[in-house]
Short mmCIF file of all heavy atoms in Angstrom, two decimals:
data_model
loop_
_atom_site.label_atom_id
_atom_site.label_comp_id
_atom_site.label_asym_id
_atom_site.label_seq_id
_atom_site.Cartn_x
_atom_site.Cartn_y
_atom_site.Cartn_z
N HIS A 246 -2.80 17.24 8.33
CA HIS A 246 -3.31 18.08 9.41
C HIS A 246 -3.11 19.58 9.15
O HIS A 246 -3.69 20.40 9.90
CB HIS A 246 -2.64 17.69 10.73
CG HIS A 246 -2.98 16.33 11.19
ND1 HIS A 246 -4.14 16.02 11.89
CD2 HIS A 246 -2.37 15.13 11.03
CE1 HIS A 246 -4.20 14.74 12.14
NE2 HIS A 246 -3.12 14.15 11.64
N ALA A 247 -2.31 19.92 8.17
CA ALA A 247 -2.10 21.32 7.84
C ALA A 247 -2.15 21.51 6.33
O ALA A 247 -1.12 21.69 5.66
CB ALA A 247 -0.77 21.83 8.39
N PRO A 248 -3.32 21.41 5.74
CA PRO A 248 -3.45 21.36 4.28
C PRO A 248 -2.94 22.63 3.57
O PRO A 248 -2.61 22.57 2.39
CB PRO A 248 -4.94 21.19 4.04
CG PRO A 248 -5.60 21.59 5.32
CD PRO A 248 -4.63 21.25 6.40
N GLY A 249 -2.82 23.75 4.29
CA GLY A 249 -2.39 24.97 3.61
C GLY A 249 -0.92 25.27 3.80
O GLY A 249 -0.43 26.27 3.21
N ASP A 250 -0.20 24.50 4.60
CA ASP A 250 1.19 24.81 4.90
C ASP A 250 2.12 24.36 3.75
O ASP A 250 1.80 23.48 2.97
CB ASP A 250 1.66 24.13 6.19
CG ASP A 250 1.06 24.84 7.42
OD1 ASP A 250 0.35 25.83 7.27
OD2 ASP A 250 1.34 24.37 8.56
N GLN A 251 3.30 24.99 3.69
CA GLN A 251 4.33 24.63 2.73
C GLN A 251 5.21 23.52 3.31
O GLN A 251 5.64 23.61 4.47
CB GLN A 251 5.16 25.84 2.38
CG GLN A 251 6.28 25.55 1.34
CD GLN A 251 7.17 26.77 1.12
OE1 GLN A 251 6.94 27.85 1.70
NE2 GLN A 251 8.21 26.59 0.30
N ILE A 252 5.52 22.51 2.53
CA ILE A 252 6.37 21.39 2.96
C ILE A 252 7.46 21.18 1.95
O ILE A 252 7.19 21.02 0.75
CB ILE A 252 5.56 20.08 3.13
CG1 ILE A 252 4.38 20.28 4.09
CG2 ILE A 252 6.47 18.94 3.61
CD1 ILE A 252 3.43 19.10 4.10
N THR A 253 8.72 21.17 2.40
CA THR A 253 9.87 20.84 1.58
C THR A 253 10.57 19.63 2.15
O THR A 253 10.92 19.62 3.32
CB THR A 253 10.85 22.04 1.47
OG1 THR A 253 10.15 23.18 1.00
CG2 THR A 253 11.99 21.70 0.52
N LEU A 254 10.76 18.63 1.31
CA LEU A 254 11.42 17.36 1.70
C LEU A 254 12.78 17.28 0.97
O LEU A 254 12.79 17.23 -0.26
CB LEU A 254 10.53 16.17 1.35
CG LEU A 254 10.98 14.77 1.74
CD1 LEU A 254 11.09 14.64 3.25
CD2 LEU A 254 10.03 13.74 1.17
N VAL A 255 13.86 17.28 1.72
CA VAL A 255 15.20 17.29 1.13
C VAL A 255 15.82 15.91 1.26
O VAL A 255 15.98 15.37 2.36
CB VAL A 255 16.11 18.33 1.85
CG1 VAL A 255 17.52 18.29 1.25
CG2 VAL A 255 15.50 19.71 1.73
N GLY A 256 16.18 15.33 0.12
CA GLY A 256 16.86 14.01 0.10
C GLY A 256 18.15 14.11 -0.67
O GLY A 256 18.26 14.83 -1.66
N ASP A 257 19.22 13.37 -0.23
CA ASP A 257 20.52 13.54 -0.83
C ASP A 257 20.82 12.55 -1.93
O ASP A 257 21.95 12.46 -2.40
CB ASP A 257 21.62 13.52 0.24
CG ASP A 257 21.67 12.19 0.97
OD1 ASP A 257 20.83 11.30 0.66
OD2 ASP A 257 22.55 12.03 1.85
N GLU A 258 19.80 11.78 -2.36
CA GLU A 258 20.01 10.86 -3.48
C GLU A 258 19.06 11.18 -4.61
O GLU A 258 17.95 11.70 -4.38
CB GLU A 258 19.79 9.40 -3.01
CG GLU A 258 20.83 8.94 -1.98
CD GLU A 258 20.63 7.51 -1.53
OE1 GLU A 258 20.60 6.61 -2.40
OE2 GLU A 258 20.46 7.30 -0.31
N LYS A 259 19.48 10.91 -5.82
CA LYS A 259 18.70 11.33 -6.99
C LYS A 259 17.44 10.53 -7.18
O LYS A 259 16.50 10.96 -7.84
CB LYS A 259 19.59 11.27 -8.25
CG LYS A 259 20.04 9.85 -8.61
CD LYS A 259 20.92 9.85 -9.85
CE LYS A 259 21.36 8.42 -10.23
NZ LYS A 259 22.21 8.41 -11.40
N GLU A 260 17.42 9.28 -6.60
CA GLU A 260 16.26 8.44 -6.77
C GLU A 260 15.06 8.95 -5.97
O GLU A 260 15.23 9.69 -5.00
CB GLU A 260 16.58 6.99 -6.34
CG GLU A 260 17.59 6.25 -7.21
CD GLU A 260 19.03 6.56 -6.81
OE1 GLU A 260 19.21 7.24 -5.79
OE2 GLU A 260 19.94 6.10 -7.52
N PRO A 261 13.85 8.54 -6.34
CA PRO A 261 12.70 8.89 -5.48
C PRO A 261 12.90 8.29 -4.08
O PRO A 261 13.68 7.31 -3.93
CB PRO A 261 11.52 8.21 -6.22
CG PRO A 261 11.98 8.01 -7.60
CD PRO A 261 13.47 7.79 -7.53
N PRO A 262 12.24 8.83 -3.07
CA PRO A 262 12.39 8.26 -1.71
C PRO A 262 12.18 6.76 -1.71
O PRO A 262 11.17 6.26 -2.24
CB PRO A 262 11.31 9.00 -0.92
CG PRO A 262 11.20 10.32 -1.61
CD PRO A 262 11.37 10.02 -3.07
N TYR A 263 13.11 6.03 -1.10
CA TYR A 263 13.04 4.55 -1.11
C TYR A 263 13.42 3.99 0.25
O TYR A 263 13.92 4.69 1.13
CB TYR A 263 13.92 3.99 -2.22
CG TYR A 263 15.41 4.15 -1.99
CD1 TYR A 263 16.18 3.19 -1.32
CD2 TYR A 263 16.08 5.27 -2.49
CE1 TYR A 263 17.53 3.36 -1.14
CE2 TYR A 263 17.44 5.43 -2.33
CZ TYR A 263 18.17 4.49 -1.64
OH TYR A 263 19.52 4.63 -1.45
N SER A 264 13.19 2.68 0.41
CA SER A 264 13.48 1.98 1.64
C SER A 264 14.78 1.23 1.54
O SER A 264 14.90 0.37 0.64
CB SER A 264 12.36 1.04 2.00
OG SER A 264 12.71 0.21 3.11
N ARG A 265 15.72 1.53 2.41
CA ARG A 265 16.98 0.75 2.40
C ARG A 265 16.73 -0.70 2.76
O ARG A 265 17.49 -1.59 2.34
CB ARG A 265 17.98 1.38 3.37
CG ARG A 265 18.34 2.81 3.09
CD ARG A 265 19.57 3.25 3.81
NE ARG A 265 19.71 4.70 3.80
CZ ARG A 265 20.12 5.41 2.72
NH1 ARG A 265 20.44 4.75 1.62
NH2 ARG A 265 20.21 6.71 2.77
N MET A 266 15.71 -0.96 3.57
CA MET A 266 15.42 -2.35 3.97
C MET A 266 15.00 -3.20 2.79
O MET A 266 14.96 -4.43 2.92
CB MET A 266 14.35 -2.36 5.06
CG MET A 266 14.77 -1.70 6.34
SD MET A 266 16.26 -2.41 7.06
CE MET A 266 15.72 -4.08 7.40
N ALA A 267 14.62 -2.58 1.67
CA ALA A 267 14.23 -3.36 0.49
C ALA A 267 15.42 -3.76 -0.38
O ALA A 267 15.26 -4.57 -1.29
CB ALA A 267 13.22 -2.55 -0.33
N ILE A 268 16.60 -3.20 -0.11
CA ILE A 268 17.75 -3.48 -0.98
C ILE A 268 18.10 -4.97 -1.05
O ILE A 268 18.41 -5.48 -2.13
CB ILE A 268 18.94 -2.61 -0.55
CG1 ILE A 268 18.68 -1.13 -0.93
CG2 ILE A 268 20.27 -3.10 -1.17
CD1 ILE A 268 19.77 -0.18 -0.51
#
Side-chain angles (χ1 to χ4, degrees):
H246 294 277
D250 285 0
Q251 180 186 357
I252 304 171
T253 303
L254 183 63
V255 179
D257 62 358
E258 295 180 56
K259 64 181 181 180
E260 293 85 5
Y263 67 91
S264 171
R265 301 196 194 283
M266 295 304 296
I268 288 177

